[in-house]
mmCIF file of all heavy atoms in Angstrom:
data_model
loop_
_atom_site.group_PDB
_atom_site.id
_atom_site.type_symbol
_atom_site.label_atom_id
_atom_site.label_comp_id
_atom_site.label_asym_id
_atom_site.label_seq_id
_atom_site.Cartn_x
_atom_site.Cartn_y
_atom_site.Cartn_z
ATOM 1 N N PHE A 13 0.297 1.484 -8.090
ATOM 2 C CA PHE A 13 0.836 0.151 -8.351
ATOM 3 C C PHE A 13 1.147 -0.572 -7.053
ATOM 4 O O PHE A 13 1.365 0.020 -6.016
ATOM 5 C CB PHE A 13 2.095 0.212 -9.258
ATOM 6 C CG PHE A 13 3.346 0.665 -8.560
ATOM 7 C CD1 PHE A 13 4.232 -0.229 -7.984
ATOM 8 C CD2 PHE A 13 3.688 1.997 -8.482
ATOM 9 C CE1 PHE A 13 5.422 0.155 -7.360
ATOM 10 C CE2 PHE A 13 4.851 2.433 -7.865
ATOM 11 C CZ PHE A 13 5.734 1.503 -7.300
ATOM 12 N N ASP A 14 1.187 -1.907 -7.188
ATOM 13 C CA ASP A 14 1.526 -2.770 -6.091
ATOM 14 C C ASP A 14 2.140 -4.044 -6.679
ATOM 15 O O ASP A 14 2.000 -4.285 -7.867
ATOM 16 C CB ASP A 14 0.267 -3.117 -5.265
ATOM 17 C CG ASP A 14 0.570 -4.091 -4.150
ATOM 18 O OD1 ASP A 14 1.579 -3.946 -3.445
ATOM 19 O OD2 ASP A 14 -0.195 -5.073 -4.001
ATOM 20 N N SER A 15 2.720 -4.823 -5.805
ATOM 21 C CA SER A 15 3.264 -6.120 -6.227
ATOM 22 C C SER A 15 2.171 -7.077 -6.669
ATOM 23 O O SER A 15 2.419 -8.100 -7.278
ATOM 24 C CB SER A 15 4.087 -6.737 -5.096
ATOM 25 O OG SER A 15 3.275 -6.824 -3.932
ATOM 26 N N GLY A 16 0.933 -6.828 -6.309
ATOM 27 C CA GLY A 16 -0.163 -7.753 -6.679
ATOM 28 C C GLY A 16 -1.495 -7.175 -6.372
ATOM 29 O O GLY A 16 -1.867 -6.118 -6.870
ATOM 30 N N VAL A 17 -2.222 -7.848 -5.462
ATOM 31 C CA VAL A 17 -3.570 -7.442 -5.178
ATOM 32 C C VAL A 17 -3.667 -6.559 -3.924
ATOM 33 O O VAL A 17 -4.687 -5.843 -3.728
ATOM 34 C CB VAL A 17 -4.536 -8.656 -4.984
ATOM 35 C CG1 VAL A 17 -4.697 -9.368 -6.282
ATOM 36 C CG2 VAL A 17 -3.983 -9.606 -3.914
ATOM 37 N N GLY A 18 -2.671 -6.604 -3.058
ATOM 38 C CA GLY A 18 -2.739 -5.899 -1.792
ATOM 39 C C GLY A 18 -2.985 -4.417 -1.897
ATOM 40 O O GLY A 18 -3.647 -3.818 -1.046
ATOM 41 N N GLY A 19 -2.436 -3.809 -2.937
ATOM 42 C CA GLY A 19 -2.579 -2.367 -3.137
ATOM 43 C C GLY A 19 -4.029 -1.938 -3.321
ATOM 44 O O GLY A 19 -4.339 -0.736 -3.228
ATOM 45 N N ARG A 43 4.843 -11.377 -10.509
ATOM 46 C CA ARG A 43 6.154 -11.367 -9.854
ATOM 47 C C ARG A 43 6.022 -11.191 -8.344
ATOM 48 O O ARG A 43 7.027 -10.988 -7.656
ATOM 49 C CB ARG A 43 7.021 -10.267 -10.449
ATOM 50 C CG ARG A 43 7.192 -10.454 -11.986
ATOM 51 C CD ARG A 43 8.215 -9.524 -12.574
ATOM 52 N NE ARG A 43 7.836 -8.116 -12.496
ATOM 53 C CZ ARG A 43 8.490 -7.127 -13.111
ATOM 54 N NH1 ARG A 43 9.525 -7.419 -13.864
ATOM 55 N NH2 ARG A 43 8.082 -5.892 -13.002
ATOM 56 N N VAL A 44 4.763 -11.176 -7.808
ATOM 57 C CA VAL A 44 4.551 -11.075 -6.386
ATOM 58 C C VAL A 44 5.160 -12.355 -5.759
ATOM 59 O O VAL A 44 5.122 -13.406 -6.390
ATOM 60 C CB VAL A 44 3.027 -10.965 -6.097
ATOM 61 C CG1 VAL A 44 2.266 -12.225 -6.413
ATOM 62 C CG2 VAL A 44 2.749 -10.473 -4.696
ATOM 63 N N PRO A 45 5.717 -12.338 -4.563
ATOM 64 C CA PRO A 45 5.806 -11.215 -3.641
ATOM 65 C C PRO A 45 7.084 -10.390 -3.879
ATOM 66 O O PRO A 45 8.091 -10.921 -4.361
ATOM 67 C CB PRO A 45 5.922 -11.920 -2.311
ATOM 68 C CG PRO A 45 6.638 -13.204 -2.566
ATOM 69 C CD PRO A 45 6.167 -13.623 -3.950
ATOM 70 N N TYR A 46 7.034 -9.128 -3.540
ATOM 71 C CA TYR A 46 8.216 -8.267 -3.519
ATOM 72 C C TYR A 46 8.924 -8.387 -2.132
ATOM 73 O O TYR A 46 10.088 -8.124 -1.998
ATOM 74 C CB TYR A 46 7.847 -6.810 -3.757
ATOM 75 C CG TYR A 46 7.485 -6.398 -5.168
ATOM 76 C CD1 TYR A 46 7.307 -7.342 -6.177
ATOM 77 C CD2 TYR A 46 7.327 -5.054 -5.468
ATOM 78 C CE1 TYR A 46 6.968 -6.952 -7.456
ATOM 79 C CE2 TYR A 46 7.002 -4.641 -6.770
ATOM 80 C CZ TYR A 46 6.806 -5.609 -7.760
ATOM 81 O OH TYR A 46 6.486 -5.199 -9.027
ATOM 82 N N GLY A 47 8.099 -8.691 -1.121
ATOM 83 C CA GLY A 47 8.569 -8.579 0.268
ATOM 84 C C GLY A 47 9.713 -9.488 0.661
ATOM 85 O O GLY A 47 10.364 -9.283 1.674
ATOM 86 N N SER A 48 9.945 -10.547 -0.142
ATOM 87 C CA SER A 48 11.057 -11.441 0.202
ATOM 88 C C SER A 48 12.215 -11.290 -0.794
ATOM 89 O O SER A 48 13.159 -12.060 -0.757
ATOM 90 C CB SER A 48 10.531 -12.896 0.213
ATOM 91 O OG SER A 48 9.846 -13.158 -1.031
ATOM 92 N N LYS A 49 12.125 -10.295 -1.667
ATOM 93 C CA LYS A 49 13.183 -10.107 -2.660
ATOM 94 C C LYS A 49 14.187 -9.031 -2.269
ATOM 95 O O LYS A 49 13.963 -8.272 -1.335
ATOM 96 C CB LYS A 49 12.516 -9.773 -4.035
ATOM 97 C CG LYS A 49 11.659 -10.888 -4.566
ATOM 98 C CD LYS A 49 11.298 -10.765 -5.989
ATOM 99 C CE LYS A 49 10.661 -12.033 -6.530
ATOM 100 N NZ LYS A 49 9.295 -12.278 -6.064
ATOM 101 N N ALA A 76 1.519 1.824 -3.901
ATOM 102 C CA ALA A 76 0.605 1.261 -2.884
ATOM 103 C C ALA A 76 1.132 -0.041 -2.361
ATOM 104 O O ALA A 76 0.419 -1.032 -2.225
ATOM 105 C CB ALA A 76 -0.788 1.062 -3.490
ATOM 106 N N CYS A 77 2.417 -0.080 -2.083
ATOM 107 C CA CYS A 77 3.099 -1.293 -1.644
ATOM 108 C C CYS A 77 4.129 -0.831 -0.626
ATOM 109 O O CYS A 77 4.987 0.014 -0.956
ATOM 110 C CB CYS A 77 3.760 -1.947 -2.844
ATOM 111 S SG CYS A 77 4.804 -3.384 -2.447
ATOM 112 N N ASN A 78 4.054 -1.369 0.576
ATOM 113 C CA ASN A 78 5.010 -0.949 1.595
ATOM 114 C C ASN A 78 6.442 -1.294 1.211
ATOM 115 O O ASN A 78 7.358 -0.500 1.389
ATOM 116 C CB ASN A 78 4.694 -1.602 2.899
ATOM 117 C CG ASN A 78 3.521 -0.979 3.630
ATOM 118 O OD1 ASN A 78 3.682 -0.109 4.497
ATOM 119 N ND2 ASN A 78 2.297 -1.341 3.239
ATOM 120 N N THR A 79 6.601 -2.479 0.604
ATOM 121 C CA THR A 79 7.964 -2.898 0.253
ATOM 122 C C THR A 79 8.541 -1.966 -0.777
ATOM 123 O O THR A 79 9.688 -1.487 -0.666
ATOM 124 C CB THR A 79 7.959 -4.327 -0.253
ATOM 125 O OG1 THR A 79 7.306 -5.147 0.743
ATOM 126 C CG2 THR A 79 9.348 -4.888 -0.531
ATOM 127 N N ALA A 80 7.800 -1.665 -1.864
ATOM 128 C CA ALA A 80 8.273 -0.761 -2.895
ATOM 129 C C ALA A 80 8.511 0.629 -2.313
ATOM 130 O O ALA A 80 9.517 1.278 -2.631
ATOM 131 C CB ALA A 80 7.285 -0.686 -4.046
ATOM 132 N N SER A 81 7.615 1.081 -1.447
ATOM 133 C CA SER A 81 7.779 2.425 -0.838
ATOM 134 C C SER A 81 9.037 2.445 0.036
ATOM 135 O O SER A 81 9.759 3.459 0.035
ATOM 136 C CB SER A 81 6.579 2.720 0.042
ATOM 137 O OG SER A 81 5.361 2.702 -0.641
ATOM 138 N N VAL A 99 3.341 4.578 0.772
ATOM 139 C CA VAL A 99 2.463 4.368 1.916
ATOM 140 C C VAL A 99 3.218 4.483 3.258
ATOM 141 O O VAL A 99 2.561 4.597 4.316
ATOM 142 C CB VAL A 99 1.770 2.983 1.838
ATOM 143 C CG1 VAL A 99 0.699 2.962 0.779
ATOM 144 C CG2 VAL A 99 2.779 1.874 1.553
ATOM 145 N N ALA A 120 5.274 -6.005 9.062
ATOM 146 C CA ALA A 120 5.459 -5.783 7.607
ATOM 147 C C ALA A 120 6.145 -7.006 7.019
ATOM 148 O O ALA A 120 6.391 -7.982 7.709
ATOM 149 C CB ALA A 120 6.281 -4.516 7.394
ATOM 150 N N THR A 121 6.525 -6.859 5.723
ATOM 151 C CA THR A 121 7.291 -7.948 5.063
ATOM 152 C C THR A 121 8.723 -7.902 5.595
ATOM 153 O O THR A 121 9.172 -6.923 6.195
ATOM 154 C CB THR A 121 7.302 -7.787 3.544
ATOM 155 O OG1 THR A 121 7.979 -6.529 3.252
ATOM 156 C CG2 THR A 121 5.914 -7.762 2.961
ATOM 157 N N GLU A 122 9.477 -8.956 5.218
ATOM 158 C CA GLU A 122 10.873 -8.993 5.639
ATOM 159 C C GLU A 122 11.669 -7.812 5.062
ATOM 160 O O GLU A 122 12.460 -7.200 5.766
ATOM 161 C CB GLU A 122 11.515 -10.309 5.163
ATOM 162 C CG GLU A 122 11.124 -11.467 6.039
ATOM 163 C CD GLU A 122 11.253 -12.794 5.358
ATOM 164 O OE1 GLU A 122 10.988 -12.884 4.118
ATOM 165 O OE2 GLU A 122 11.612 -13.754 6.069
ATOM 166 N N ALA A 123 11.448 -7.493 3.789
ATOM 167 C CA ALA A 123 12.170 -6.382 3.129
ATOM 168 C C ALA A 123 11.919 -5.039 3.810
ATOM 169 O O ALA A 123 12.803 -4.248 4.030
ATOM 170 C CB ALA A 123 11.859 -6.313 1.658
ATOM 171 N N THR A 124 10.603 -4.804 4.172
ATOM 172 C CA THR A 124 10.261 -3.522 4.801
ATOM 173 C C THR A 124 10.926 -3.446 6.185
ATOM 174 O O THR A 124 11.494 -2.416 6.565
ATOM 175 C CB THR A 124 8.764 -3.373 4.884
ATOM 176 O OG1 THR A 124 8.211 -3.431 3.553
ATOM 177 C CG2 THR A 124 8.344 -2.052 5.510
ATOM 178 N N PRO A 149 5.662 -12.772 7.483
ATOM 179 C CA PRO A 149 5.531 -13.203 6.080
ATOM 180 C C PRO A 149 4.333 -14.094 5.793
ATOM 181 O O PRO A 149 3.826 -14.056 4.667
ATOM 182 C CB PRO A 149 6.853 -13.915 5.815
ATOM 183 C CG PRO A 149 7.481 -14.176 7.112
ATOM 184 C CD PRO A 149 6.973 -13.144 8.044
ATOM 185 N N VAL A 152 0.555 -12.636 4.328
ATOM 186 C CA VAL A 152 0.188 -12.357 2.922
ATOM 187 C C VAL A 152 -0.528 -13.595 2.310
ATOM 188 O O VAL A 152 -1.630 -13.458 1.782
ATOM 189 C CB VAL A 152 1.409 -11.886 2.114
ATOM 190 C CG1 VAL A 152 1.112 -11.893 0.633
ATOM 191 C CG2 VAL A 152 1.818 -10.487 2.554
ATOM 192 N N GLU A 156 -4.410 -14.020 0.901
ATOM 193 C CA GLU A 156 -4.670 -14.373 -0.512
ATOM 194 C C GLU A 156 -5.447 -15.688 -0.609
ATOM 195 O O GLU A 156 -6.144 -15.932 -1.597
ATOM 196 C CB GLU A 156 -3.383 -14.406 -1.309
ATOM 197 C CG GLU A 156 -2.803 -13.003 -1.339
ATOM 198 C CD GLU A 156 -1.790 -12.740 -2.435
ATOM 199 O OE1 GLU A 156 -1.416 -13.666 -3.155
ATOM 200 O OE2 GLU A 156 -1.357 -11.584 -2.524
ATOM 201 N N LEU A 186 0.118 -1.269 10.561
ATOM 202 C CA LEU A 186 -0.120 -2.408 9.674
ATOM 203 C C LEU A 186 0.666 -2.131 8.397
ATOM 204 O O LEU A 186 0.124 -1.658 7.427
ATOM 205 C CB LEU A 186 -1.635 -2.511 9.399
ATOM 206 C CG LEU A 186 -2.547 -2.548 10.666
ATOM 207 C CD1 LEU A 186 -4.007 -2.622 10.263
ATOM 208 C CD2 LEU A 186 -2.131 -3.698 11.585
ATOM 209 N N GLY A 187 1.994 -2.432 8.455
ATOM 210 C CA GLY A 187 2.923 -1.964 7.455
ATOM 211 C C GLY A 187 3.042 -2.841 6.201
ATOM 212 O O GLY A 187 4.117 -2.936 5.616
ATOM 213 N N CYS A 188 1.957 -3.450 5.828
ATOM 214 C CA CYS A 188 1.933 -4.277 4.585
ATOM 215 C C CYS A 188 0.515 -4.124 4.031
ATOM 216 O O CYS A 188 -0.461 -4.144 4.811
ATOM 217 C CB CYS A 188 2.273 -5.701 4.937
ATOM 218 S SG CYS A 188 2.013 -6.841 3.532
ATOM 219 N N THR A 189 0.410 -4.025 2.729
ATOM 220 C CA THR A 189 -0.906 -3.774 2.108
ATOM 221 C C THR A 189 -1.990 -4.781 2.491
ATOM 222 O O THR A 189 -3.147 -4.421 2.501
ATOM 223 C CB THR A 189 -0.735 -3.836 0.578
ATOM 224 O OG1 THR A 189 -0.020 -5.004 0.238
ATOM 225 C CG2 THR A 189 -0.018 -2.602 0.050
ATOM 226 N N HIS A 190 -1.573 -5.991 2.764
ATOM 227 C CA HIS A 190 -2.585 -7.027 3.048
ATOM 228 C C HIS A 190 -3.119 -6.945 4.463
ATOM 229 O O HIS A 190 -4.205 -7.443 4.754
ATOM 230 C CB HIS A 190 -1.983 -8.439 2.849
ATOM 231 C CG HIS A 190 -1.716 -8.809 1.466
ATOM 232 N ND1 HIS A 190 -0.842 -8.077 0.676
ATOM 233 C CD2 HIS A 190 -2.139 -9.813 0.686
ATOM 234 C CE1 HIS A 190 -0.785 -8.661 -0.536
ATOM 235 N NE2 HIS A 190 -1.571 -9.709 -0.531
ATOM 236 N N TYR A 191 -2.364 -6.358 5.356
ATOM 237 C CA TYR A 191 -2.691 -6.489 6.772
ATOM 238 C C TYR A 191 -3.974 -5.776 7.201
ATOM 239 O O TYR A 191 -4.651 -6.237 8.131
ATOM 240 C CB TYR A 191 -1.545 -6.023 7.679
ATOM 241 C CG TYR A 191 -0.245 -6.823 7.506
ATOM 242 C CD1 TYR A 191 0.888 -6.470 8.247
ATOM 243 C CD2 TYR A 191 -0.145 -7.898 6.627
ATOM 244 C CE1 TYR A 191 2.077 -7.186 8.106
ATOM 245 C CE2 TYR A 191 1.045 -8.576 6.489
ATOM 246 C CZ TYR A 191 2.165 -8.223 7.216
ATOM 247 O OH TYR A 191 3.353 -8.895 7.081
HETATM 248 N N1 LIG B 301 2.451 -5.417 -1.202
HETATM 249 C C1 LIG B 301 3.464 -5.932 -0.319
HETATM 250 C C2 LIG B 301 3.725 -4.931 0.797
HETATM 251 O O1 LIG B 301 2.920 -4.084 1.132
HETATM 252 C C3 LIG B 301 3.055 -7.254 0.269
HETATM 253 C C4 LIG B 301 3.140 -8.413 -0.702
HETATM 254 C C5 LIG B 301 4.521 -8.640 -1.213
HETATM 255 O O2 LIG B 301 5.367 -9.137 -0.499
HETATM 256 O O3 LIG B 301 4.755 -8.309 -2.385
HETATM 257 O O4 LIG B 301 4.778 -4.924 1.331
#
Side-chain angles (χ1 to χ4, degrees):
F13 76 92
D14 176 46
S15 55
V17 292
R43 303 189 295 190
V44 69
Y46 285 9
S48 51
K49 296 196 169 71
C77 173
N78 282 264
T79 305
S81 303
V99 287
T121 63
E122 282 158 323
T124 301
V152 168
E156 295 198 357
L186 308 179
C188 170
T189 48
H190 289 59
Y191 300 178

